[in-house]
Amino acid sequence: MIPAAFEYERPSSLAEALKMLSEGGDDARPIAGGHSLLPLMRLRLARPSLLVDIGGLADLRYVRDEGDHIAIGALCTHHELASAQELTGGCRLIAQVARQIGDPQVRHRGTIGGSIAHADPASDLPAAVLALDGAVVARGAGGSRTIPAADFFLGPLMSALEPGEILTEVRVAKRVGCGSTYEKFQRRAQDWAIVAVAAVIESSGGTISNAAIGLTNMAGTPIRASGVEEALAGAASEEAIAEAAGRVSEVGTPLPDQNASSEYRLHLAEVLIRRAVANAMS
Amino acid sequence: MKRISVTVNGVRHEAEVEPRTLLVYFIREQLGLTGTNVGCDTSSCGACTVHLNGQSVKSCTVLAVQADGQEVTTIEGLATNGKLHPMQQAFHEEHGLQCGFCTPGMIMAAVGIVDENPDPSEAEVREALEGNLCRCTGYHNIVRAVISGAKASV
Amino acid sequence: MAAGQKYVGGGVPRKEDPQLLTGQATFVENLTVPGMVHAALVRSPYGAARIKKVDLSAALAAPDVVAAFSGEDLADEWAAGLPMAWPVTDDIRIPDHWPVAKDVVRYVGDAVAVVVATSRAAAADAAELVDVDYEELPTVVDIEGAMAPGAPRVHESFENNECYTWTHSTGDIDAAFAKADVVVKGEYTQPRLIPNAMEPRAVLVQPSPAAGDFTMWSTTQIPHIAKILLSMILGISESKMRVIAPDVGGGFGSKLNVYAEEALCIALARRLGLPVKWVAGRSEGYLATIHGRDQLQEIELAATSEGKILGYRVKIRANMGAYLQLVAPGVPLLGGFLYCGSYGGEAYHFECTGVFTNTTPTDAYRGAGRPEATYAIERAIELLARKVGLDSIEIRKLNYLPQGEMVPSPGGLEFDSTNYAPNLDRALELLGHDAVRAEQAERRAQGSTKVLGLGFSTFVEMCGLAPSQVLASLNYGAGGWDAATVRMLPTGKAEVVTGTSPHGQGHVTCWSQIAADALGLDIDDIEVLHGDTHVAPHGMNTYGSRSLSVGGIAVYEACGRVVEKAKTIAAHLLEVSPEDLAFENGSFSVKGVPDRTKAIQELAYAAWTAHSLPEGTEPGLEANCVWDPPNFTYPFGSHLCVVEVDTETGDVDILRYVAVDDCGTVINPVIVEGQVHGGVAQGIAAALYEEATYAEDGTLETSSMINYLVPSAAEFPSFELDRTLTPSTSNPLGVKGIGEAGTIASTPAVINAVADALAHLDVGEVPIPATPERVWRLIQNAKGGAA
């Protein structure tokens, strides 16, 4: 189908983009790769009055080592992130996740900024950013602010971004001596996850010292499995890991949908956590 | 209306488009290049795959205005001097098409795969074709064609 | 073949490919004509509702809008409703079915109004402005609900939702069950499937208002049938209608229909005097293009304690949807003779009830009736094997019909060619059966969470509906013939005009192979013309794996007639008797005097100049054949599937798929393999991925390619294929259909494999599709909830 009509502007700077957005009113939206927004517009489930295309703002396209964290410009595509050399240690998780998003064509266009801002609990990157104790930089007319990932995702397709703000950067804490993995369970390769687990595991000699577990599509937002993380600390055997994975039930009951019941989701999460931890340690 | 300039298969086109015009409809209806097909409305099937600045994209999920100033290659731009591209030739020789509707997108995706991975394994080809649906071939001969096309493209 | 076999049997690369590979195809959406306007339909969002008012004023006021009509506005366009051509019983209930609903809508997607504008975008915008006042009515979407007492009636004029009940019996079924030592019963749900030809449907109609005629380009499998029926719907003389099926992007039965939008675009073109185009979006197509399957099945087998089957008792209920599309009532009947599969027995009873529901109408989807039948018997025979303590191979070999020709089956058919055990043996050999079983045992012994299963499906199917008299006995509304004209041109080239209407099957290549060999021409000197009722005036088109065994034979026979006529001209010119001539490689030579020859090209020219023809011979060298086969063809085969089931997640992964088909003589092995690959993939998709579901209110939950799971290359393995060759006795080439065999065979092969993987857990019936969650639940339930 064809989207409903809208106005389109292509600013040459972030400042201009912010101005256009604020003048465009409530139904003005920024667009970059468009791979979250355009599918909704084609089905006329989204009808922005104005699209402000920030896709050409080259200064939002970078991956930088900032000492204690890696800063990722909002316009980095999934494809670029999948092979970004700067993503080392625990941050490699971002690359591991990026290469499992959608399909190659989607990865060539879709951006991390769009994916995070869209706040779809079934999207892959949000759980990873959350697991890496990440943060989001948002720029508005009044300046910029940094929002911890833990405070950013408010509900399905709802984030802490204010109208008129643009997500400009994603930050993930650097963690050395970690293994990471993203275990995604879906029906078809191109599908969204039924459940997925992002794991960052610090261990030595087979004993886990620190674990971060992010869950995709287990609630209205990406979430951390904090009970599991707690139980994983100190775990040194398959049995201990399995027992820790069982504490995923503490995250509450995920909603059922066409793809899976609550019970099955919870079970899958437990199995995938077990596998993710093992893979991250191997 | 917005004025855009898009280079398609090496030819620069200046045109007026409605902002909502999807790249695929710009290519098909305004430029008359109907080789690129539309098989779905949810960015699922990949029939509309073209190359944008050398990378495979689903042209149903790109606005024509977003392609302003950029380079597009469609299935019509693949053969040179009347000679099929090695990937087109491989699809022909391996019987990688039946009804032919998914074929332009499938071939453009395949060329993109080989650009990024010149010697893909069967498993890699299958995984990389995840965004292109075919209902006729069961993919068996498509996968063979991509592997054979990759070898011929070296 | 008289002329030798240079091409037939070879993997000739397809002549169809160049334009498809380079983006030069003529798919309907690619076509434009000057002055063309675009139609957009307003469709019911309700499963059932009374239309109280349709307000078109806002739509009509919108920019670029040419016209807008409600169903009532268009009522006088129709001389007849949309057609149903297979009234399977005398008392079948046939509801009125108008291209645009007048008073009541009966499924989500039922058309309510149409808007015509100068662009597609404008038409879509204006369609949103049509204001329809509905009074919602109660809905029913499933078979059992529709048959329950007091169920909402889909059609108020009928006293309940039953459309028809059709029965078919052979032998004494009660006696067979009375003397049985063992009875097994299987109950299966065949999910609703969406065919998903990759090309969405589209129609373009160009009127010639002064002449009063119409050209319709349509994404159809059946241009000839559509021409006749659309003429009747619109009250237009058949001779004023030209229907063209240009390049068509797949069908699988979904384009074997006469659709509302075809009739509507003709009506709009007539009323407006403008060319009118309509193109379905994929999601719109999910509502407005036929669905397939959707049956509830019960099958009982009566057998001896040794496992020999005595009788088959089958009862099915089939969801017709809200209206009857072209051949919908007959679809279950195409399986109704085959619930005994390739096995013997004394008696057979089949009963089918068609049921109306508030859903998109169903109709023939690849296999049409036979996948359902094959599923039921191939699952049930596994139940029997288990009950009597035989394995999957022993139970089949014990019950196979004997090798032979015209072998009677318990279902009442005579199979043209049976040779089942060697076919299965070849498949077992290709698989390496013993090694698979050994690995399966080893994994079980190790307590692996990745268990293996091996599934069997040994099937027989019927295709090439024929002969016409037999179709009459089934109340089928058309014949079983097809037509061909073979025309030698003065330049020595040939035209083959066929009544088949290919949409991916490679008829141009295969018919060229047949004709090139029969006429002794180079394959590039043959053109195959099809899909335009002005060019190929006679045809019964392409569906039910009939094209080669009916239309291809017509080509072959017409070639033979051309050669016969050429021979008389050659004899005349060489001044010998026709009996003294031999025909080889396109040349007639006098027997014993090999240098006295006439090439068929020379004879074509001689026939055209007509300067010297035998007395009484008409000029020109061409011949027609309308071939009405004496019987169906009955391809068979053995499909074996190896799956790995992850017992922790329920995920099923197909590791290997071995298929040994027997489709008789093969014209082009590469094309045959392609048909099997695609068919197998669709059957696997049905086994593991695809299922269209409705909410109780009639909303199609699987509304797009996002949630109706058409699988990609990443979900399949490569397939391992071979063939046995048992020629059909139903036609002179010995060919049988192969278009649907893969789909018919593969679903039970996969599900049998899943069941086999879990056999040690005693999980009970495996539902289709065997989704990860369903498989996981089976395992959980078998474990009694213990993890």
Side-chain angles (χ1 to χ4, degrees), chain B residues 135-136 138, chain C residues 190 193 195 252 293 364-375 457 459 461 545 639 657 659 661 674-687 690 738-750:
Chain B
R135 198 59 162 171
C136 294
Chain C
Q190 294 292 331
L193 299 175
F252 316 111
R293 316 280 195 267
Y365 167 52
R366 200 172 193 173
R370 291 100 83 208
E372 300 93 306
T374 303
Y375 187 87
S457 173
F459 75 100
E461 67 120 335
S545 303
H639 287 219
Y657 196 96
D661 280 85
Q675 288 294 314
V676 175
H677 294 150
V680 165
Q682 278 181 30
I684 290 174
E690 297 182 15
I738 193 63
E740 296 161 290
T743 309
I744 290 166
S746 54
T747 310
V750 175

Side-chain angles (χ1 to χ4, degrees), chain C residues 505-552:
Chain C
Q505 295 89 343
H507 295 177
V508 169
T509 302
C510 292
W511 290 193
S512 294
Q513 289 177 266
I514 291 170
D517 276 354
L519 301 172
L521 296 180
D522 190 282
I523 197 163
D524 292 330
D525 287 343
I526 312 255
E527 282 300 319
V528 176
L529 308 177
H530 63 80
D532 179 342
T533 58
H534 269 25
V535 173
H538 306 293
M540 209 55 99
N541 307 145
T542 290
Y543 53 88
S545 303
R546 68 188 301 276
S547 295
L548 174 58
S549 68
V550 187

Side-chain angles (χ1 to χ4, degrees), chain C residues 22 124 192 253 383 405 414 438 461 484 590 617 637 643 645 726 749 758 762:
Chain C
T22 52
R192 178 175 281 248
L383 296 179
E405 295 175 358
E414 287 194 334
E461 67 120 335
V590 179
T617 299
V643 299
V645 178
T726 312
L758 304 177
D762 204 13

Side-chain angles (χ1 to χ4, degrees), chain A residues 1-5 43-44 47 185-192 194 257-265 267-268 271-272 274-275, chain C residues 120-121 124-125 128 283 450 646 648-651 688-689 693 701-702 705-712 714-715 771-773 776-777:
Chain A
M1 241 173 89
I2 300 160
L43 298 175
R44 300 198 173 188
R47 294 165 179 262
F185 192 88
Q186 75 270 60
R187 297 281 300 280
R188 295 176 300 182
Q190 67 161 261
D191 288 333
W192 277 273
I194 293 177
D257 64 17
Q258 272 179 311
N259 294 311
S261 66
S262 308
E263 186 193 3
Y264 182 58
R265 276 220 153 82
H267 166 76
L268 271 183
V271 172
L272 296 177
R274 212 158 16 84
R275 293 179 182 180
Chain C
R120 239 165 113 183
D125 291 349
E128 290 188 323
S283 303
K450 301 279 179 70
D646 181 337
E648 290 188 314
T649 63
D651 198 30
L688 297 180
Y689 296 97
T693 61
E701 294 171 316
T702 46
M705 275 187 165
I706 297 277
N707 44 26
Y708 185 87
L709 305 184
V710 175
S712 78
E715 282 72 58
T771 65
E773 176 161 2
W776 173 73
R777 276 193 191 284

Side-chain angles (χ1 to χ4, degrees), chain A residues 24-94:
Chain A
D26 288 352
D27 296 327
R29 298 280 302 269
I31 186 170
H35 272 51
S36 298
L37 187 54
L38 284 176
L40 294 177
M41 289 171 61
R42 286 188 72 191
L43 298 175
R44 300 198 173 188
L45 298 172
R47 294 165 179 262
S49 58
L50 168 68
L51 288 187
V52 176
D53 185 354
I54 59 170
L57 302 181
D59 50 352
L60 292 182
R61 202 160 184 159
Y62 53 82
V63 182
R64 278 199 298 257
D65 189 330
E66 299 279 6
D68 63 337
H69 69 271
I70 302 285
I72 304 170
L75 293 188
C76 286
T77 63
H78 309 318
H79 174 75
E80 288 162 347
L81 293 173
S83 57
Q85 297 303 314
E86 298 83 353
L87 297 170
T88 57
C91 295
R92 218 164 63 84
L93 176 65
I94 296 292

